[in-house]
Amino acid sequence: MKNWINVFMMIGFLMTSSVYAVKSGGPLEFKDSEQEALYNTMLYELRCTVCQNQSIADSNASLAEDLRENLYEMVINGANKEEIKKFMVDRYGEFVLYRPNFSPSNYILWIGPFVLLIVGIVVLRLNLRSRKKINRTNELSAEESDLLADYLDSKKEKE
Amino acid sequence: MMNRHMIPLVVFAALLLLFWVGLGLNPKIIPSPLIGKEAPKFDLPELHNPQKRVTNEMLKGQVTLFNVFASWCVSCRAEHHLLLDLQHRGLYIIGLNYKDEKRDALNYLTQFGGDPYAMIAYDYEGDVGIEWGVYGTPETFVIDKKGIVRYKHTGPLYREVIENELIPLVRKLEQES
């Protein structure tokens, strides 16, 4: 029984761990739940530029630690999502955003897959249509049935 | 004449080219958004002499190399003798000692052959590092006479970069008024 309690406590701890994820180690205090929600979203929206495939929430790099602290201070001081993003992009470039902006240099990222899908569908349809033209009916033309009859006759004669 | 059977070959060639270029890029090199902008403001104590302050104003008036280093940064050691060499060649280098213990930093400078820096800003907290978008020490910026960031190299400097990029740029910027 005691083990189960420990397990549940552990799970509970892991689920809230992002709130603890700042240098000081203690739980963070926010003015309201909106601020807390903003902090927790932004943790996963910002990339740790040292360990490039981790967000600053996931990373143990000391830079990620510093950025979490920075983020916390910005949130506490009432910065909104756009202000936080701008702060990070001004220093680290757009690469710091895990979800790239919908800007001209990123159009190919956002639209590219859909363009490919449409091209694929068009090519497939053209292909199917041309195939239909080749073999529209199952019936043989007069020429073909003559040929077939000749062939069958010749086989019979051999037997 | 474009043959139908050529299409897969052309697509394959295009993919090959894409991968050839794409995989050849170094994903660790992130272009700095600071280039072409004024150097970020800072005001920090000098490493050797904490009474003195080092500020972004001191980057102005001459072409400056701004070099981010730390004693815990192993690849900084690899470029240290090159920085000393650059100092001998008359370049003006300001250091940013990033998230370091003061004693370690001072030991590092004596241990690896001397101090190439005209002055060293001591950034214990790493806040100024964030202002400069530092993510991989060592980092080297070139600042022109007006205090505008003109170039950034992430990672240790090496001969080719120095001779082919850094020095020509510094000499060119020195001609500007």
Side-chain angles (χ1 to χ4, degrees):
Chain A
M1 189 61 200
K2 212 175 171 190
N3 280 342
W4 280 111
I5 292 173
N6 282 339
V7 166
F8 281 125
M9 276 174 69
M10 195 64 210
I11 291 170
F13 177 75
L14 287 174
M15 284 167 77
T16 56
S17 60
S18 64
V19 176
Y20 291 82
V22 146
K23 219 183 208 166
S24 62
L28 294 174
E29 281 173 29
F30 293 94
K31 284 196 190 103
D32 49 45
S33 57
E34 248 169 69
Q35 282 194 349
E36 187 172 342
L38 176 62
Y39 177 76
N40 282 325
T41 338
M42 291 314 287
L43 276 185
Y44 291 94
E45 293 273 318
L46 296 171
R47 183 193 300 274
C48 167
T49 44
V50 179
C51 25
Q52 304 191 336
N53 289 327
Q54 287 184 309
S55 66
I56 61 169
D58 297 326
S59 172
N60 275 328
S62 89
L63 179 68
E65 217 167 67
D66 291 353
L67 288 178
R68 285 196 292 266
E69 221 172 331
N70 238 283
L71 171 63
Y72 175 68
E73 268 157 37
M74 274 190 278
V75 167
I76 285 296
N77 291 325
N80 64 32
K81 198 169 177 173
E82 290 314 308
E83 285 164 346
I84 294 170
K85 275 188 176 178
K86 191 177 180 308
F87 176 91
M88 295 294 173
V89 170
D90 282 349
R91 284 154 186 78
Y92 293 98
E94 269 200 30
F95 187 74
V96 79
L97 303 174
Y98 239 124
R99 195 196 309 270
N101 278 335
F102 192 69
S103 61
S105 60
N106 291 335
Y107 281 165
I108 192 167
L109 266 181
W110 283 100
I111 305 175
F114 299 107
V115 171
L116 279 182
L117 181 69
I118 290 167
V119 168
I121 291 172
V122 168
V123 168
L124 182 70
R125 292 204 56 170
L126 287 177
N127 233 314
L128 290 179
R129 197 172 296 170
S130 63
R131 233 179 253 185
K132 247 186 221 162
K133 264 183 207 155
I134 293 169
N135 189 13
R136 193 170 296 140
T137 59
N138 287 325
E139 275 153 41
L140 298 176
S141 66
E143 222 175 298
E144 284 165 340
S145 43
D146 281 351
L147 221 88
L148 187 63
D150 283 352
Y151 175 70
L152 290 176
D153 284 345
S154 68
K155 277 205 115 176
K156 258 182 202 161
E157 275 165 24
K158 268 183 194 166
E159 284 165 11
Chain B
M1 276 309 291
M2 185 77 175
N3 192 315
R4 271 184 67 93
H5 303 289
M6 290 286 282
I7 293 173
L9 195 67
V10 169
V11 171
F12 175 71
L15 276 179
L16 205 67
L17 189 72
L18 181 74
F19 290 144
W20 183 264
V21 174
L23 296 174
L25 297 173
N26 183 352
K28 291 272 175 199
I29 304 298
I30 308 173
S32 172
L34 290 177
I35 290 176
K37 296 199 184 121
E38 200 167 330
K41 286 193 174 58
F42 65 91
D43 185 351
L44 286 171
E46 214 278 333
L47 180 74
H48 298 285
N49 180 6
Q51 318 304 327
K52 252 181 71 185
R53 307 294 293 182
V54 184
T55 72
N56 55 302
E57 289 300 317
M58 293 169 184
L59 300 169
K60 293 177 189 167
Q62 70 287 312
V63 179
T64 310
L65 287 192
F66 187 71
N67 177 257
V68 185
F69 76 103
S71 67
W72 46 261
C73 153
V74 181
S75 45
C76 294
R77 295 172 193 177
E79 69 167 16
H80 195 77
H81 70 282
L82 293 169
L83 291 172
L84 286 165
D85 182 47
L86 286 171
Q87 182 204 24
H88 289 313
R89 290 163 78 173
L91 270 73
Y92 188 75
I93 313 173
I94 291 183
L96 180 75
N97 184 227
Y98 178 62
K99 288 175 74 91
D100 211 347
E101 295 297 334
K102 188 175 172 176
R103 207 181 40 183
D104 295 343
L106 293 172
N107 281 340
Y108 167 84
L109 290 174
T110 46
Q111 193 185 342
F112 291 96
D115 181 354
Y117 305 105
M119 56 184 98
I120 301 172
Y122 181 48
D123 184 22
Y124 180 70
E125 296 288 341
D127 290 340
V128 172
I130 290 181
E131 291 300 317
W132 284 77
V134 171
Y135 67 94
T137 49
E139 290 188 4
T140 306
F141 298 84
V142 177
I143 321 293
D144 71 11
K145 291 178 184 170
K146 291 179 191 132
I148 310 287
V149 180
R150 300 297 286 265
Y151 173 85
K152 176 184 181 181
H153 177 81
T154 306
L157 292 169
Y158 46 94
R159 285 270 169 225
E160 285 81 357
V161 172
I162 287 177
E163 302 306 335
N164 300 337
E165 293 177 28
L166 205 67
I167 294 283
L169 177 66
V170 169
R171 298 296 177 225
K172 197 188 113 209
L173 293 178
E174 279 170 348
Q175 302 305 314
E176 290 179 1
S177 55

